[in-house]
Amino acid sequence: MFNFDIFFQSAVKQSIPLLLGSTGETLTEKSGNLNLGIPGIMYVGAISGVIGSFFYENHLNAAEAAINPFLGICIPLLCSLLGSLLMGLLYCFLTVNLRANQNVTGLAMTTFGVGFGNFFGGSLIKLTGSSVPSISLRETSKCFQKTLPFADRMGVVGTMFFSYGFLAYAAIVIAICAAFFLRKTRLGLQLRAVGENPGTADAAGINVSRYKYAATCIGSMIAGLGGLYYVMDYASGVWSNNAFGDRGWLAIALVIFTVWKPDFSILASILFGGLYILYLYIPTGTNMAIKEIYKMFPYLVTIAVLIIMSVRNRKENQPPAALGLPYFREDR
Amino acid sequence: MLEGGSTGKYLCCPLSFTQAGGAKVDTKRQPAVSMRGITKTFGKVVANDNVSIDIYKGEILSLLGENGSGKTTLMNMLSGIYYPDSGHIYINGKEELIHSPKDALSLGIGMVHQHFKLVDVMSATENIVLGLKEGRKFDLKTVADRIREICSKYGFDLDPDQKVYDMSVSQKQTVEIVKMLYRKADILILDEPTAVLTPQETEKLFDVLRNMKKDGKAIIIITHKLNEVLEISDYVDILNKGKFIGSLKTSETNAQEMTDMMVGHAVKLNIDRPEPKDVKPKIEISGLTVIDEDGIPKLQDVSFTINSGEILGIAGISGSGQRELLESIAGLQKIESGSIKYYEESGKAVELVGTNPETIRKMGVSLSFVPEDRLGMGLVGNMDLTGNMMLRSFRMGGGLFTNRKIPHDLADEVVKALSVDTPGLSTPVRRLSGGNVQKVLVGREIASNPTVLLTAYAVRGLDINSSYVIYDLMNKQKEKGVAVVYVGEDLDVLLQLADRILVLCGGKVSGIVDGRKATKNEVGLLMTSLGGAE
């Protein structure tokens, strides 16, 4: 029996990591940095949160104390932000200061981030000494999954709109703020100028490196939250290696799909999330190949959008003109 | 008080004003900017050597000099892009240190560069407000209103909401100038502002400049077009090889005097024009029509003949279809209708429409087009001279590996023959100055021994000496029996160089005149006669 409200709810839960990842990547790309390290950064964001909450929960177990909801949220949150911030800084240092190739750096960061996550994930699993290859952080997860108290009482509306943890709402607020920032503020205008034409921005007295650093680091932190949401809320606090999958790449595809507009991303990410889990709701029988085809949908839609955009060829819907290019001041 | 006063004031620089004897200095003139003893070196190259100039409020000053004479470098120091090695800059009588464009702007100095610094996907308003931190509220509407105010005050024609990618070159320039005015610049530097403008646009720009002058602004124009110097400026300062040569009052000088000072030695103003011999049709074009992607006709029913052994000049307001015409002959344009017949040595006619560019090139039809941005077509900026020569010769030799010897020798030859100023053959072309880039481009095309040589704007942005080298090259080709097509901007040059002049107007041929008999007025009239062009 197909329940739309349940499907919608799953799609939204699935969409939040994508939304955070794509908002972060959009901000980054608007500064002209094509950060393909986002999947790795989301991994690091997730594992950093896991490490923080793991030690906090261990400490609680040792002291036999109940979890303090405030610390239960803040410790993993700060750890996650710190982890992804460091990744963002590393990326900036390599591409802005050392002018390394952005694509190569980004791909290396993804490989590194996934490896980093799996290494520390594996180490923590060893520390617990459990037989299952996963870490369970139930107490922390409960804090993250806390929904609005009246959600249960509101029936379908409650299920569809009020049944999510606070990070989901934060993600939507962040996306709206990012869209407003890019469209309506002076700093947003200047950030866009940096991504479009750094030479011009420089001549206008804008500190190009500073904007690139700020946008990339803040973008990384937002994306890192996507990883944290995934493990703490979506996966109910269960970390197992490689479970995050290809959501990072989906987030990057979403940036293109939404033509660099974070507010579009709110609905588009739900669409992507829905497509991502569609195979669970469509009877496929025993044929596993069909399931894999359904999983391709988000990417197929992205390719379709790319084709439509290039046919329509509107300048506003193109990637930032200087995306992926290093900026040398001497070249002016 | 007059000459005595000025020389006394400029003791620090013995070179200055040695030739300024004719200039009457008004005591009421207030220097907005005084640059004293400015020296700037790049490595071993001395770009400016002890230069001192003054810029006065309510006046237009032309900075005249050949390519590489240090005009732009000098102004870049005033606008904060470079910092002088030695010397002093006084703004309104006070010594200032200008470390960045921001410093310059805060002193009221604004520079409009040759290459516009604009963000394509943003509107004029957004571009103008970029980098400013004024007011607490970010309100583009108020900004747009202020821009309209500035525009109506000085007579600019600008829509603040128009996106830059929709703008013509002239409109982009307007945005740049308004940007400076919005920042309250009262010392305005324009680097070769007319290089990419049509005569009408130039007139419009000059009107605006006169309005700004009346408003008390100090304006500096970097240029090497003498007629414009005479038309617009009050004074002209002349540089040569980084040194200050002299300052003249424009009303008391003439083109001959300025040219002499500019080049340092006399350059004959008459261009050689050998009699064409053995003239026979090489390319016959009939009913050529080209329609662009947007459905706008670029060429309409164009018919004419290109003869071997003569130079055919093509005149017209820029954008009248010159580019499309040359590209059609070279096989690079999609042709709507018409025919282009090429006559081989044997007299056999070959149809070029529908033939691919490579085959056309093999027949000996060679195209060198100097686009507005110089590096856009024909040369690869990041490749060295040898590599760029190779772009034409890489098919020579049958082996798997390319032969670098031939292009290397050719590059060497071009560098020597055209005295290209380059540190070496392995220097990337983008590092060369604009004029030298052009020499490489034209030199390469000529070296390929063409039977038809198509050149457009071959001397655009070149100084007089280099231009003459290029005219000579074309004449030599003509004497060899090559059919030369020269698309030019300067009517004087066309009238002195070309045997016949084809005048294009709005994509139509408005006339073909004899280069020896036609007058400038006649050609000018033809350029605007059809009413097709604005």
Side-chain angles (χ1 to χ4, degrees):
Chain A
M1 185 61 212
F2 182 78
N3 265 335
F4 181 75
D5 51 339
I6 298 295
F7 174 71
F8 183 80
Q9 189 191 33
S10 314
V12 170
K13 284 188 174 172
Q14 193 64 247
S15 79
I16 299 303
L18 306 181
L19 175 59
L20 285 164
S22 78
T23 306
E25 177 69 3
T26 303
L27 276 181
T28 309
E29 290 195 11
K30 281 291 180 185
S31 78
N33 275 353
L34 177 62
N35 189 357
L36 294 181
I38 283 292
I41 290 170
M42 293 175 83
Y43 249 89
V44 170
I47 192 66
S48 306
V50 166
I51 294 171
S53 106
F54 178 81
F55 286 108
Y56 180 56
E57 284 202 13
N58 268 8
H59 165 77
L60 289 178
N61 287 342
E64 290 182 10
I67 192 163
N68 174 339
F70 178 72
L71 285 179
I73 285 174
C74 279
I75 290 175
L77 192 65
L78 290 178
C79 288
S80 168
L81 289 176
L82 182 69
S84 36
L85 171 67
L86 288 176
M87 289 290 277
L89 282 174
L90 179 62
Y91 177 86
C92 281
F93 179 69
L94 289 171
T95 59
V96 177
N97 296 71
L98 303 184
R99 288 169 194 150
N101 180 300
Q102 293 191 10
N103 294 338
V104 176
T105 309
L107 291 174
M109 300 265 308
T110 287
T111 315
F112 169 73
V114 173
F116 180 91
N118 287 344
F119 173 75
F120 282 97
S123 308
L124 292 186
I125 290 165
K126 265 210 151 161
L127 276 183
T128 59
S130 93
S131 53
V132 243
S134 62
I135 310 158
S136 182
L137 302 163
R138 292 248 175 270
E139 293 304 316
T140 313
S141 170
K142 273 181 199 150
C143 303
F144 274 89
Q145 283 178 324
K146 193 113 189 116
T147 59
L148 291 168
F150 51 82
D152 296 344
R153 280 179 272 126
M154 293 181 69
V156 175
V157 177
T159 315
M160 284 175 72
F161 299 109
F162 300 108
S163 60
Y164 312 104
F166 76 96
L167 267 181
Y169 301 105
I172 292 169
V173 171
I174 290 171
I176 293 172
C177 288
F180 179 80
F181 168 77
L182 286 173
R183 237 169 266 166
K184 295 282 178 198
T185 66
R186 189 187 305 277
L187 286 177
L189 177 76
Q190 300 187 352
L191 176 66
R192 281 190 286 140
V194 168
E196 289 290 342
N197 193 335
T200 297
D202 196 12
I206 296 168
N207 188 330
V208 172
S209 300
R210 193 184 294 167
Y211 272 81
K212 280 188 178 248
Y213 258 93
T216 307
C217 291
I218 292 171
S220 295
M221 282 154 67
I222 294 172
L225 286 182
L228 185 71
Y229 173 87
Y230 171 78
V231 65
M232 290 305 173
D233 193 334
Y234 181 82
S236 308
V238 177
W239 169 275
S240 45
N241 282 353
N242 286 325
F244 188 67
D246 55 359
R247 288 178 175 82
W249 295 114
L250 215 50
I252 292 179
L254 196 57
V255 174
I256 301 165
F257 182 81
T258 58
V259 290
W260 293 264
K261 292 188 173 67
D263 47 350
F264 285 20
S265 196
I266 297 168
L267 290 178
S269 67
I270 295 172
L271 173 71
F272 268 43
L275 288 172
Y276 199 73
I277 52 163
L278 192 60
Y279 70 92
L280 296 173
Y281 292 82
I282 289 174
T284 56
T286 51
N287 194 343
M288 295 300 281
I290 300 273
K291 181 178 135 185
E292 294 302 321
I293 286 179
Y294 285 129
K295 278 182 155 179
M296 283 178 0
F297 276 157
Y299 299 100
L300 288 177
V301 172
T302 305
I303 292 171
V305 167
L306 271 177
I307 292 169
I308 294 165
M309 285 308 155
S310 66
V311 169
R312 286 188 58 208
N313 200 17
R314 266 195 66 193
K315 291 265 187 181
E316 281 83 356
N317 291 341
Q318 300 302 313
L323 184 61
L325 306 174
Y327 174 59
F328 301 88
R329 184 176 235 188
E330 287 78 6
D331 270 359
R332 70 175 155 200
Chain B
M1 187 174 137
L2 301 177
E3 299 134 49
S6 60
T7 24
K9 243 162 75 190
Y10 306 131
L11 277 176
C12 59
C13 175
L15 251 178
S16 68
F17 287 83
T18 44
Q19 300 202 28
K24 290 264 189 293
V25 182
D26 185 339
T27 40
K28 275 181 196 157
R29 286 169 76 205
Q30 277 189 358
V33 177
S34 298
M35 298 177 89
R36 288 285 167 272
I38 302 286
T39 299
K40 176 77 186 171
T41 54
F42 295 102
K44 280 180 190 164
V45 184
V46 182
N48 283 133
D49 185 6
N50 199 15
V51 176
S52 298
I53 64 165
D54 287 280
I55 299 140
Y56 293 88
K57 286 176 190 162
E59 286 183 10
I60 298 178
L61 173 77
S62 290
L63 207 53
L64 188 66
E66 288 188 285
N67 284 86
S69 59
K71 308 169 295 234
T72 306
T73 308
L74 185 68
M75 286 303 112
N76 277 343
M77 282 187 274
L78 192 54
S79 65
I81 287 177
Y82 300 138
Y83 191 74
D85 297 342
S86 65
H88 307 272
I89 298 174
Y90 302 88
I91 310 292
N92 297 322
K94 203 170 145 255
E95 180 161 13
E96 303 279 0
L97 300 175
I98 304 171
H99 289 283
S100 70
K102 233 177 175 173
D103 290 354
L105 263 174
S106 65
L107 292 167
I109 303 167
M111 181 158 172
V112 176
H113 296 269
Q114 244 177 313
H115 302 286
F116 303 134
K117 301 215 175 272
L118 296 172
V119 180
D120 268 353
V121 294
M122 292 183 181
S123 68
T125 309
E126 287 174 315
N127 267 292
I128 286 167
V129 85
L130 201 63
L132 277 182
K133 288 182 192 72
E134 36 141 42
R136 215 171 294 154
K137 212 168 145 244
F138 182 61
D139 180 9
L140 287 177
K141 273 214 183 86
T142 332
V143 177
D145 287 343
R146 269 197 58 203
I147 291 169
R148 283 194 194 93
E149 223 171 86
I150 292 173
C151 289
S152 63
K153 182 172 174 191
Y154 295 108
F156 289 106
D157 196 3
L158 179 70
D159 172 11
D161 299 324
Q162 197 176 0
K163 292 277 164 78
V164 171
Y165 61 75
D166 271 339
M167 292 184 181
S168 69
V169 179
S170 146
Q171 284 171 307
K172 286 181 191 171
Q173 186 183 55
T174 307
V175 177
E176 285 282 13
I177 298 174
V178 174
K179 184 158 102 187
M180 294 309 157
L181 295 175
Y182 188 88
R183 276 141 220 255
K184 303 199 168 67
D186 42 35
I187 300 157
L188 208 72
I189 309 161
L190 302 166
D191 191 357
E192 293 190 32
T194 60
V196 289
L197 299 186
T198 63
Q200 281 87 349
E201 287 167 346
T202 304
E203 258 326 298
K204 234 161 118 188
L205 173 71
F206 284 178
D207 285 343
V208 167
L209 292 182
R210 287 189 194 104
N211 287 339
M212 299 201 302
K213 172 179 141 181
K214 266 183 227 150
D215 199 41
K217 300 204 182 293
I219 299 164
I220 306 145
I221 297 176
I222 302 176
T223 182
H224 37 232
K225 291 188 187 164
L226 296 178
N227 56 338
E228 285 171 5
V229 171
L230 291 168
E231 191 187 337
I232 185 79
S233 60
D234 301 295
Y235 284 83
V236 49
D237 281 6
I238 298 164
L239 296 183
N240 181 21
K241 299 198 175 84
K243 287 197 175 75
F244 178 81
I245 300 301
S247 179
L248 300 171
K249 190 164 188 177
T250 331
S251 55
E252 293 165 9
T253 183
N254 56 48
Q256 186 68 53
E257 189 184 5
M258 286 193 289
T259 313
D260 287 351
M261 284 172 76
M262 193 167 119
V263 296
H265 53 89
V267 171
K268 52 175 181 173
L269 273 169
N270 287 316
I271 303 164
D272 270 346
R273 178 158 51 188
E275 281 299 315
K277 51 185 180 200
D278 197 17
V279 175
K280 56 183 179 202
K282 196 74 194 166
I283 288 181
E284 208 172 273
I285 296 173
S286 55
L288 184 67
T289 300
V290 169
I291 292 173
D292 77 354
E293 283 173 351
D294 302 324
I296 299 162
K298 287 288 175 187
L299 288 175
Q300 288 177 56
D301 198 20
V302 170
S303 306
F304 64 98
T305 312
I306 302 169
N307 293 326
S308 58
E310 74 168 23
I311 296 180
L312 174 71
I314 295 183
I317 295 160
S318 73
S320 301
Q322 297 95 321
R323 183 191 189 125
E324 286 78 10
L325 181 58
L326 294 200
E327 287 186 353
S328 299
I329 301 172
L332 302 172
Q333 268 285 344
K334 195 172 156 263
I335 290 161
E336 195 68 21
S337 64
S339 87
I340 303 173
K341 281 201 176 64
Y342 174 82
Y343 294 98
E344 289 181 350
E345 280 308 301
S346 57
K348 202 180 115 209
V350 185
E351 178 62 50
L352 293 189
V353 176
T355 313
N356 72 37
E358 199 192 323
T359 319
I360 294 177
R361 179 165 277 281
K362 272 195 192 136
M363 289 175 185
V365 178
S366 164
L367 170 67
S368 77
F369 187 92
V370 179
E372 285 165 14
D373 63 355
R374 283 177 187 160
L375 277 177
M377 226 171 126
L379 294 176
V380 180
N382 279 329
M383 274 163 67
D384 64 9
L385 288 159
T386 307
N388 270 295
M389 295 296 161
M390 220 153 105
L391 291 177
R392 286 282 177 265
S393 67
F394 66 97
R395 284 197 183 81
M396 280 180 201
L400 178 63
F401 300 101
T402 52
N403 184 345
R404 283 187 75 85
K405 177 99 178 66
I406 301 167
H408 184 274
D409 292 347
L410 178 59
D412 200 36
E413 211 180 293
V414 169
V415 166
K416 283 198 186 110
L418 303 186
S419 54
V420 176
D421 191 8
T422 168
L425 294 182
S426 50
T427 308
V429 168
R430 90 187 131 80
R431 294 255 178 87
L432 304 183
S433 78
N436 285 314
V437 168
Q438 244 150 291
K439 286 185 192 169
V440 173
L441 180 63
V442 176
R444 183 186 67 189
E445 298 308 324
I446 289 174
S448 66
N449 270 331
T451 54
V452 179
L453 178 67
L454 310 169
T455 59
Y457 313 121
V459 297
R460 176 179 263 169
L462 285 191
D463 58 63
I464 292 182
N465 270 339
S466 323
S467 302
Y468 274 90
V469 173
I470 298 223
Y471 301 146
D472 276 350
L473 281 170
M474 278 189 284
N475 275 327
K476 268 186 206 137
Q477 293 296 308
K478 165 179 157 185
E479 282 173 330
K480 269 172 67 186
V482 173
V484 181
V485 177
Y486 172 80
V487 177
E489 295 168 299
D490 192 335
L491 283 186
D492 292 315
V493 173
L494 275 171
L495 284 165
Q496 289 183 53
L497 177 73
D499 300 296
R500 287 186 306 147
I501 300 171
L502 170 88
V503 188
L504 280 177
C505 178
K508 293 178 190 156
V509 178
S510 56
I512 299 179
V513 295
D514 187 329
R516 283 176 178 74
K517 290 182 194 134
T519 63
K520 206 171 166 181
N521 285 349
E522 196 182 327
V523 178
L525 206 64
L526 283 172
M527 277 167 68
T528 50
S529 66
L530 277 176
E534 296 149 288

